[in-house]
Amino acid sequence: MSDSDQEFYKKVIRRVRWNIFALGLVGAAVAAYLRTIQAGLAFLIGAALSYLSFWGWQQLVNALSPGAKKRSPVGFIARILLLVALAYAVVRFLGLNVAVAAMGLLVSAAAVLAELVYELIYTRT
């Protein structure tokens, strides 16, 4: 990858992270307003887990890039299992709304779609 491609990739990742953060906060506020504080908390926890999942996928992509040191897939699998266990524990023991938490898990996908729309509108190549 050239330096300009590397810089473009860094900018895209930065914008997606900010989108995840903003969508998570706005979604939590809307869920708390429309439902209850617990629903807002469930959405926020789902959004946080969504960010961790996005980070894990980013690590996987970086590991597959040329010149990256080879890593065992055990670490990636362990992170995914940890995320699943954490999500289960949060929903089970805090008694949060599963549907709202699942909506929070979709925040990273919405952030990536927002970035795609941004790139379609604002890049003129």
Side-chain angles (χ1 to χ4, degrees), residues 16-28 43 107:
V16 170
R17 285 180 183 162
W18 277 107
N19 286 342
I20 291 171
F21 179 73
L23 289 171
L25 288 180
V26 169
F43 189 92
V107 164

Side-chain angles (χ1 to χ4, degrees), residues 24 26 28 37 45 50 56 59 65 68 81 111 113:
V26 169
I37 297 293
I45 289 171
S50 179
Q59 296 301 311
S65 66
L81 291 176
L113 289 174

Side-chain angles (χ1 to χ4, degrees), residues 73-108:
V74 175
F76 178 73
I77 293 169
R79 279 196 297 255
I80 296 297
L81 291 176
L82 180 66
L83 281 174
V84 169
L86 185 61
Y88 175 78
V90 164
V91 170
R92 170 91 177 171
F93 297 119
L94 293 180
L96 299 176
N97 189 335
V98 177
V100 177
M103 286 174 41
L105 287 171
L106 298 173
V107 164
S108 61

Side-chain angles (χ1 to χ4, degrees), residues 57-72:
W57 285 109
Q58 182 184 351
Q59 296 301 311
L60 176 68
V61 168
N62 289 338
L64 294 175
S65 66
K69 66 178 183 176
K70 299 297 178 194
R71 295 183 183 182
S72 169

